[in-house]
Amino acid sequence: MSMDLDDDAPVAIGGQAQTGATILCYNCGAPIDGTTATGALCFACVKLTVDISQGVQREATLNFCRDCDRWLMPPTSWVVAMPESRELLALCLKKLRGLHKVRVVDASFIWTEPHSRRIKVKLTIQDQVQDGMLLQQTFEVVYVVATQQCPECAKSYTANVWRACVQVRQKVLHKRTFLFLEQLIMKHSAHRDTLNIKEAKDGIDFFFSQRNQAEKFIDFLNSVVPVKVKSSQELISQDIHTSKKSFKFTYSAEIVPICRDDLVAMPIKLAKQSGNISPLVLCHKIGTSVYLLDPQTLQTADISGPIYWRSPFSSLADVKELVEFVVMDIEPTPTRRGKWVLSEATVARASDLGVNDKTYFTRTHLGHYLQPGDSAMGYLLTGTMFNNPEFEALEESNVYSSTIPDVVLVKKHYPNRRRNRRRNWKLKRMNKDEGELLPKKADQDRMDREYEMFLQDVEEDEELRAAMALYKNEKKREEEEMSIAETETETDAGDDVGVPRVDMDELLDDFDELTMQEQ
């Protein structure tokens, strides 16, 4: 015998009948369990009638500084945040009032047109509306981007607001070291805190709003070039009631007046202290020290800044006095040191070819780069008068007078290099205020020639190029078309064959965007 039980019928448990209490939703009349529900609404009506986001803002304002690309973090902080980044999302959530009363489950950006000055964020929140009932809701919040100038940028557009100045100087007749230092500053963003950058007679002035920013910049200079720093301060104002004083600080940073590829005559005493190196050397690199090389023996020496300033000396000749030579014959020796190979060479001045048959014998460190028939730039010492006390001491010395060579070769020369040729790479330049030092036409031509020489050094020296940031000059499609056109031109005309070039793999993208940010 079987018996069907109704689902709504009372069920006997332990000999007693249990009956479930059922009530009706007052909104739609749906039956709900009265033993668990504390309200008289079913779950469907709760979702339709209850708004847990009622106390949360749906619109807010974000303040953005267009000069430094920073956002205002109330009350007074300014932070850097990229579009649709985690930092910007955290800033958006902190701007909403009432969000702390609910639980945030998810938050994400909704794409908007960048020029619309609107940022949309989709939020998903949860909250308990009844005991045991958890409600989740998703809604959008619109942020209006308002432009506001931060205090640092406002000071940069106002005169006489700087509190610290770093005056970088180098007493030489050209700017090659400053061009290299400029690239290091740009690569490491060491000028990020500057209020203004101004050209000076023998260097550049960097202005800062805080003293610690200038000291940080001084530390950067000490890490890249040998400098001697002197500091001074000037009293601006004083409060006689609280004894508070306001100062302006000035730091004078003088760079060692020796540049790359300079011919140097060291003091004999300092040469003996530096490993007994020959006093007549070449400066092959400028870093935290002055790196010197004896091209006759490949011996090297490093002169740090403090050692140099205890017994300073100047360059015997710079790159403006280089003479073009043609290699007639060259024979390498077993002596090697890194990329240098000591060789014995016979050279003749390029201006003497076809006029006389005068040649010079010398030893050079460029045996790995030079072949018979190549051109090289060097210093001609025979018949040249140097107004230098250190070189005069060498000539009068019985030990070193016989070691002075006739010619000192410095680097390989490419006579077929085209002038103002189009390059597939560029370097960033700092925005400097020239002030009253507007260059004349002759000075501008000289500066253009020095910059062209610097670009040639970057192409020829991989070690120098590795310390900089090089950027693509044009888009990829245009670069490919340019490389094809240049290849055809070289094949037809034969110009620039063998001239060093920068590989495309060494270049960085987004040069135009970075330039716009700098401006």
Side-chain angles (χ1 to χ4, degrees), residues 20 27 31 76 123 137 149 185 218 229 267 288 314 333 335 372 394 457:
N27 188 32
T76 58
L123 291 178
Q137 188 175 350
Q149 199 173 42
I185 292 175
I218 289 292
V229 181
T288 54
S314 59
T333 65
T335 305
L394 291 182
D457 292 340

Side-chain angles (χ1 to χ4, degrees), residues 488-502:
E488 294 175 353
T489 304
E490 291 176 359
T491 304
D492 297 338
D495 292 339
D496 273 4
V497 177
V499 176
R501 296 180 180 275
V502 179

Side-chain angles (χ1 to χ4, degrees), residues 89-107:
L89 184 60
L91 177 60
C92 292
L93 296 181
K94 291 181 180 180
K95 291 286 291 185
L96 292 183
R97 293 195 302 267
L99 197 61
H100 64 281
K101 299 179 180 179
V102 295
R103 177 187 177 189
V104 179
V105 179
D106 187 25

Side-chain angles (χ1 to χ4, degrees), residues 150-374:
C150 65
E152 289 79 7
C153 294
K155 289 182 179 179
S156 64
Y157 289 96
T158 308
N160 302 323
V161 297
W162 59 272
R163 285 295 177 266
C165 174
V166 179
Q167 299 174 348
V168 184
R169 299 290 186 269
Q170 187 185 33
K171 297 179 181 180
V172 293
L173 298 178
H174 55 83
K175 297 285 187 179
R176 296 177 65 237
T177 302
F178 276 103
L179 292 174
F180 175 65
L181 179 61
E182 177 183 2
Q183 296 305 316
L184 295 179
I185 292 175
M186 298 292 288
K187 181 178 181 180
H188 298 280
S189 300
H191 65 304
R192 181 176 58 250
D193 299 327
T194 55
L195 296 178
N196 189 19
I197 302 175
K198 189 175 181 180
E199 287 274 6
K201 181 180 180 181
D202 294 324
I204 306 176
D205 294 341
F206 297 86
F207 298 91
F208 299 89
S209 60
Q210 301 294 334
R211 180 185 181 183
N212 59 350
Q213 296 174 351
E215 294 176 345
K216 181 180 178 181
F217 186 77
I218 289 292
D219 294 338
F220 172 78
L221 291 179
N222 284 315
S223 65
V224 293
V225 289
V227 295
K228 179 177 66 174
V229 181
K230 295 181 179 180
S231 61
S232 62
Q233 61 185 19
E234 178 186 359
L235 179 64
I236 301 175
S237 61
Q238 179 180 4
D239 190 346
I240 60 175
H241 301 287
T242 60
S243 298
K244 290 184 178 181
K245 301 178 182 179
S246 179
F247 292 92
K248 278 188 176 181
F249 300 90
T250 302
Y251 298 88
S252 176
E254 183 178 355
I255 304 177
V256 170
I258 298 176
C259 301
R260 188 171 175 266
D261 296 337
D262 283 359
L263 183 64
V264 177
M266 299 173 58
I268 297 178
K269 182 179 179 181
L270 179 61
K272 291 181 178 180
Q273 295 174 354
S274 303
N276 200 22
I277 192 175
S278 173
L280 191 64
V281 290
L282 277 176
C283 176
H284 68 92
K285 187 174 69 171
I286 292 292
T288 54
S289 303
V290 180
Y291 298 90
L292 304 175
L293 166 71
D294 181 8
Q296 305 291 315
T297 62
L298 300 188
Q299 187 178 357
T300 59
D302 303 342
I303 307 298
S304 63
I307 295 177
Y308 173 85
W309 292 113
R310 282 201 295 267
S311 56
F313 53 91
S314 59
S315 298
L316 188 64
D318 56 22
V319 292
K320 293 184 177 181
E321 303 176 37
L322 289 174
V323 180
E324 182 181 353
F325 293 91
V326 177
V327 180
M328 311 303 292
D329 187 21
I330 187 168
E331 188 69 26
T333 65
T335 305
R336 297 174 180 266
R337 189 183 184 94
K339 62 180 180 180
W340 298 314
V341 177
L342 184 63
S343 303
E344 297 177 347
T346 302
V347 298
R349 283 196 302 182
S351 59
D352 291 342
L353 295 181
V355 179
N356 55 55
D357 56 353
K358 189 173 183 179
T359 59
Y360 303 93
F361 176 81
T362 185
R363 286 189 173 188
T364 178
H365 61 293
L366 302 175
H368 180 67
Y369 301 97
L370 297 179
Q371 299 293 333
D374 289 345

Side-chain angles (χ1 to χ4, degrees), residues 23-30 32 37-43 45-46 130:
I23 62 176
L24 300 180
C25 174
Y26 72 83
N27 188 32
C28 63
I32 56 177
T38 56
L41 283 175
C42 63
F43 184 70
C45 293
V46 168
Q130 296 181 8

